[in-house]
Each structure stands twice: as structure tokens, then as C-alpha cells.
Amino acid sequence: MPALHPRDTLTTHAVENMPPHIGDQDLWSADRPLQEAVQREGAGWAESKLASFGQLIGQAEMFEKADAANRFTPELKNYDRYGMRIDQVQFHPAYHDLLSTAVEHGVHNFAWNEGRSGSHVAHAALTYLISQVEGGVMCSMAMSYSVFPSLMTTPALADEWLPRVRSTHYDPRDIPAGEKSGALIGMFMTEKQGGSDVRSNTTRATPLGAATGIGAPYALNGHKFFCSAPMCDAFLTLAYSDGGLSCFLVPRWRPDGTRNGLNIQRLKDKLGNRSNASSEIELEAAYGVMVGDEGRGVRTIIDMVQYNRFYCASSSAALIRQALVQATHHVSHRSAFQRRLIDQPLMRNVLADLALETEAALALTLRLGRAIDESANSPGAAGFARIGTAIAKYWVCKRAPAAVGEALECLGGAGYIEESGLPRLYREAPLNSIWEGSGNVICLDVLRAIAREPDAMPAVFEELDSALGHDANYDGAVAELNGMLAEPADLEFHARRLTELLAMTLQGSLLLRHAPAPIARAFCASRLGASRGSQYGNLRDSNAVQQIIERALQ
């Protein structure tokens, strides 16, 4: 018997049958479905960047920084030592290190700086890689990424602010944006009384001079109940002007170099995403510039919402993936009842099922990225992107908490301990279902897209029809979907079932056309078949399990 390392021998017992530290992870090279999907959806040209970033962000040091940033949470400092109001949020250095890594690698602006086919697919892949490590820093990344279309509606603001957001230099200083080497932009819309019903907002905007409408300065007075990443350099928000609910860009500093009237009231004590500050803000004569046409605030900001929802799907797919990696590492090095856990049939069934969930979530998300890339030149792609964003946001985000919880259970009690990292993933998992519209809001948005976007459902069925004839379970699900759509009077009541079926048939179509046959068949049988189970670990074909696991974790 080989001698034990001294640290493995304690005064009362020898430490054995415990998994080694997982160490550095190469988040790109170890993920074959990711590599294939990036190539398939048109971002193969970004492979070298994704490969280097996946290796960098997967280092154990990055996971340790994420742990520290979440243990030492942000603190609000309303006043300085002299009693002057500053409304600053102070973060642990690890948070700044992670955010600097994200900015320097263009997580928030790579798609817009490249501006070529596949750019948004590459963006989704970058998001997928870093979100496996830490979600808190991604709030400002997602909002800065999604702000581009809204700002482009107002050329003067676009000329002033977009060069700052295009920068890959992280500048955390709380000074006017014009004096910084880079800037980040956030958004806050909801108020106490309305939540997702933003038309019930009470914040008012009053012109600061004779000029009104797009590009004109206003003073905003009111409150916002959720403002995440409040140290961003500017924010998009909604307020009522004389012409109706309008969109405004509100910077942290006024043009004259004085602090703007953004008064942070408190930081939220959140379930997860704890490294990121989320706050309540009161706007007291806050300087803002109207973005887009007056009275068209929701229309102006809706693109930002859509891109944030795209982020939610990418991030949730990442959480499922990292949970699978952690679970597989543990069961590969842990034995019970004279066998490694990974060699036990029921555990293999669970892992393979989680692997199917991971690949399906990723495939749908990156397919959506290609639709976004093609939207400018294709009405069909634009229609698919419009409805597909809502479908993916709903379903992938809904699946994340259950998948992460199942992975946590694979570790048993060890998975419930903070040091395993899985509790942090588990707390993070529900967030994306809530941010930018919770489940019912998103499902109603799917119905809205069906009714108002003439290119949406034809694009969806072009995708679905291309996979017909290859799997009976899939064909039956598409027929069920057609049956539901033929009864429009009941669609609102059944909107969740409809959205779920749209998501799973789209995932099934992608896997049938692009994944190895055993993986596609197992997915369709377990998600679309008549005998599908309600929990993970209900796969029927034991012969497919080995191939599914090997593909997910080569």
C-alpha cells in the first residue's frame, strides 16, 4: 500500500475516498457540444479567442475570486467622512478583478466591435464560459451589451457613449465618464407599485429648457425599486414626460461635473448573485437625456430587454453545465458499496440526463444567436429571434434550478456545503427566470409574438419541419403543438404548456439534425415521449448513456 501524504493522515483517521480538488478547468476544450455549436452557428472564426478565454476563466484562481466576491458582499457608502453625499458602492477586490477580466476580453462588447456574421453567437459563448464561474459581474456586462440598439436611436448619445462602452479597459473610478478610459451602462425600470407593469410608473420627467423630445435634457423625479450594478456610469430608465412614457439616459454625473441626483436608498439582501449590488434608487431632479421618440419609451428600451433575455438563456445554460461538471468530478472519484458512483447504473442515468439538458440548452441558445446575427437581412431570422428569445429565456432559465439541484444531490451532503461551490450555483439559478420578466410575463410575450409578428411562427415551423420523419416522439410532439395552436381561444390559459412545448420541440429539432443519433433519440424519448418522467434519471435506453456522458465530458 503506497504511503499516504502527511496531510492525508490525521490523528484519528486516514482521509480516503474523497475526490481531489477539481483544480483548473479548460472550459472550452472539455466541451465538445460547445465547440460544435459555435462552428455550426457561424462563429468558428472566434474559436481561438474562445479557446484562450475558456482556459483563462476556468482557472481555479478565478473560482476562488468568485467565492470571495460572494462572501464579502458589496457595501453602501452614502456619505464620505466630511458628510458629503457620494452614493458609492464598495466591492471586494476580487469582484473588480473578475469584472476587469470580463471587460478586457470584450464580454460586453465583442459582438458589436466585431460586427460580423456569428458575432452574437460568439458573444453567447463568451457569456456561457464566464457565467460558469461567476454571475454577479455579468449583470453590468449583459446591460452594457444590450444597450447598443437603444442608444443607436439617438445619434448624439450614441456618438458620445458608445465609444466608451466599446472600450476594453475597465475603469472603476467614480468620476465623470468623459474622464474615464471605459464606461459601463445599466438599466432600471421597475417601481414598487408596478413591477413588470411599467406603464404604472410614477417617475416624471420635466424639460430643462425649451427643447423637448429625442435628445433633449430633462429633470427626473421619482423612484426605482430595482437597480442592479448601481456603479455603472449611466443608466437607461423610463419616466413620464408630457408626451407619455419615455426612455432616458441618466448618467452618474451631470455635464457640469457635479454628482447627479441618483440617491441610493439601500442595497437589497438577495438570495443569490450576492457579489453584485442591487439597490433602490430615488431620482431627485436627476439629469437625463431622452432616448428615442417621446412617448415611445417601451419601444425604445425593448431591444435592450430582448438582448438581456438572450443573456439570461446563455447564463442559465452555463449554470447547468458547470453543475454537471462538478457532479461528474465528484462521482468519478467517490465510491460506495464497492463501486465508484459513476459506475452505478442509476447515477449514470442521472448524469446522462443532465448532460442532455446541458446540450439542449446550449444548442437552442446558440441557434438563437445565429438568428440575431441574421436579423438585419432576413425577416424570418428576425421573427425567429423575436419569439425564440422569449422561448429560450423561459425554458432554459426554468430548467436551471432543477438541474443544479439534481447535480448538488449527486454530491450528497458535501454538495450542500458552501465550499463545494454548488450552493452558490443553486442560489444563482432562479435569478434569470425572474430578471427581465418572470415566467408568466415571458409566456404572455410568446403569445404576443405569435399574434403580432407575422414571420415568427413560420420561422419556427421551418425549423421544426426540417426534422420531421426522424423520430416518432418528436413527430408526435410537433403534431400536439399544431393542435394547441389551432385552439387560440385557450392559449392564454395554456401559455406555459405551449411555451414549454415550443422550447422542447425546437431543442429536439436541433439535436435530431446535429447531435449523434443516440443523444437525439434519448432527448426526444425523455422530453417528448408519452412515457417521459418528471425528474432527471428517467432515460430508457441504457446503451446510450455511455456515449452521452463521454460526449458531454470528453
Side-chain angles (χ1 to χ4, degrees):
M1 179 177 178
L4 293 174
H5 191 282
R7 288 177 296 179
D8 297 335
T9 304
L10 306 180
T11 57
T12 59
H13 66 286
V15 179
E16 56 187 22
N17 194 27
M18 295 295 288
H21 191 280
I22 194 169
D24 294 342
Q25 299 181 43
D26 190 331
L27 299 181
W28 169 263
S29 295
D31 195 337
R32 188 186 310 169
L34 173 62
Q35 297 167 34
E36 291 181 5
V38 164
Q39 191 72 234
R40 178 174 71 243
E41 305 301 352
W45 52 267
E47 182 173 331
S48 61
K49 177 179 179 62
L50 295 170
S52 61
F53 186 65
Q55 190 174 53
L56 169 68
I57 202 64
Q59 292 176 359
E61 178 187 5
M62 296 296 183
F63 284 91
E64 290 164 6
K65 287 180 178 180
D67 178 64
N70 281 272
R71 283 190 292 116
F72 302 102
T73 55
E75 295 182 355
L76 174 60
K77 188 175 183 181
N78 289 116
Y79 298 91
D80 68 10
R81 60 184 292 190
Y82 304 108
M84 305 298 290
R85 184 143 196 170
I86 56 175
D87 289 294
Q88 289 182 343
V89 179
Q90 298 179 337
F91 297 88
H92 188 271
Y95 177 88
H96 289 294
D97 288 349
L98 289 166
L99 190 51
S100 178
T101 299
V103 171
E104 289 170 4
H105 289 83
V107 172
H108 64 308
N109 58 25
F110 182 77
W112 306 107
N113 285 347
E114 290 295 325
R116 57 190 287 191
S117 178
S119 293
H120 291 281
V121 175
H123 161 78
L126 286 169
T127 298
Y128 178 79
L129 291 169
I130 191 171
S131 294
Q132 293 184 53
V133 181
E134 168 55 13
V137 300
M138 292 303 293
C139 183
S140 57
M141 293 292 91
M143 294 187 295
S144 296
Y145 158 73
S146 64
V147 78
F148 278 75
S150 296
L151 284 187
M152 288 175 186
T153 66
T154 309
L157 287 177
D159 291 344
E160 178 184 1
W161 282 94
L162 290 186
R164 299 167 182 165
V165 185
R166 289 182 183 274
S167 170
T168 53
H169 187 275
Y170 175 56
D171 191 336
R173 295 176 297 168
D174 183 20
I175 58 176
E179 301 174 22
K180 298 179 68 169
S181 55
L184 300 174
I185 296 182
M187 66 184 295
F188 47 82
M189 295 189 294
T190 59
E191 299 181 3
K192 298 182 183 78
Q193 71 282 353
S196 296
D197 182 10
V198 294
R199 295 195 182 278
S200 67
N201 285 4
T202 60
T203 301
R204 298 292 306 180
T206 306
L208 287 174
T212 61
I214 184 170
Y218 285 74
L220 278 65
N221 288 277
H223 79 282
K224 298 296 172 180
F225 201 42
F226 280 94
C227 173
S228 289
M231 292 307 293
C232 285
D233 298 283
F235 307 89
L236 290 195
T237 191
L238 297 175
Y240 275 100
S241 61
D242 290 343
L245 190 61
S246 303
C247 180
F248 297 87
L249 182 136
V250 181
R252 282 187 58 80
W253 295 78
R254 301 176 188 273
D256 63 4
T258 60
R259 289 187 179 276
N260 206 357
L262 294 169
N263 301 329
I264 302 177
Q265 302 302 300
R266 64 167 177 159
L267 299 186
K268 304 282 192 180
D269 187 8
K270 297 176 295 183
L271 168 68
N273 199 247
R274 296 182 67 84
S275 69
N276 174 41
S278 296
S279 64
E280 295 176 28
I281 283 186
E282 289 194 353
L283 297 94
E284 184 179 6
Y287 172 88
V289 178
M290 187 177 289
V291 183
D293 294 330
E294 186 169 15
R296 299 276 291 168
V298 174
R299 176 60 263 173
T300 300
I301 211 168
I302 197 66
D303 283 337
M304 191 172 187
V305 171
Q306 287 290 100
Y307 282 107
N308 278 335
R309 289 174 175 175
F310 177 45
Y311 154 80
C312 288
S314 303
S315 178
S316 291
L319 295 174
I320 299 171
R321 167 68 188 181
Q322 184 56 213
L324 171 65
V325 170
Q326 295 288 340
T328 306
H329 173 77
H330 180 89
V331 302
S332 296
H333 296 89
R334 177 84 168 169
S335 296
F337 310 110
Q338 291 77 53
R339 281 190 298 179
R340 287 192 311 162
L341 291 178
I342 197 170
D343 294 329
Q344 302 194 22
L346 191 51
M347 179 62 76
R348 293 172 64 76
N349 195 330
V350 170
L351 290 175
D353 212 352
L354 289 172
L356 289 179
E357 194 70 55
T358 303
E359 181 159 359
L362 178 65
L364 180 56
T365 300
L366 294 196
R367 173 64 185 91
L368 180 57
R370 176 158 66 90
I372 293 172
D373 278 313
E374 296 172 350
S375 290
N377 301 313
S378 168
F384 186 85
R386 168 68 180 86
I387 194 170
T389 300
I391 292 168
K393 197 275 186 189
Y394 174 79
W395 186 240
V396 177
C397 297
K398 280 290 184 189
R399 297 296 278 176
V404 176
E406 190 68 60
L408 184 154
E409 193 173 321
C410 291
L411 278 68
Y416 206 68
I417 303 303
E418 286 291 334
E419 289 175 329
S420 73
L422 281 163
R424 181 161 58 81
L425 291 180
Y426 189 63
R427 289 192 300 272
E428 188 77 16
L431 173 61
N432 291 321
S433 281
I434 297 168
W435 191 34
E436 300 302 1
S438 53
N440 287 355
V441 171
I442 298 299
C443 290
L444 293 175
D445 194 46
V446 170
L447 297 187
R448 194 175 299 112
I450 292 173
R452 299 181 184 178
E453 302 288 339
D455 297 306
M457 289 309 293
V460 168
F461 273 101
E462 181 179 350
E463 197 84 6
L464 298 180
D465 291 347
S466 64
L468 288 173
H470 297 287
D471 184 273
N473 290 314
Y474 173 81
D475 293 352
V478 174
E480 180 184 352
L481 179 61
N482 275 300
M484 290 189 71
L485 291 169
E487 299 291 338
D490 295 330
L491 282 185
E492 184 171 340
F493 182 77
H494 297 291
R496 284 196 174 216
R497 173 59 185 155
L498 174 66
T499 305
E500 176 180 329
L501 194 55
L502 281 165
M504 289 193 295
T505 50
L506 282 170
Q507 289 176 329
S509 172
L510 287 163
L511 296 183
L512 283 168
R513 288 179 289 138
H514 304 300
I519 282 125
R521 286 196 300 268
F523 178 88
C524 291
S526 59
R527 271 67 171 175
L528 302 173
S531 59
R532 55 184 176 267
S534 60
Q535 300 293 330
Y536 291 105
N538 278 291
L539 302 184
R540 300 305 177 94
D541 183 3
S542 60
N543 295 322
V545 165
Q546 182 63 27
Q547 186 171 352
I548 295 170
I549 294 174
E550 287 180 354
R551 175 173 170 78
L553 298 147
Q554 54 183 331

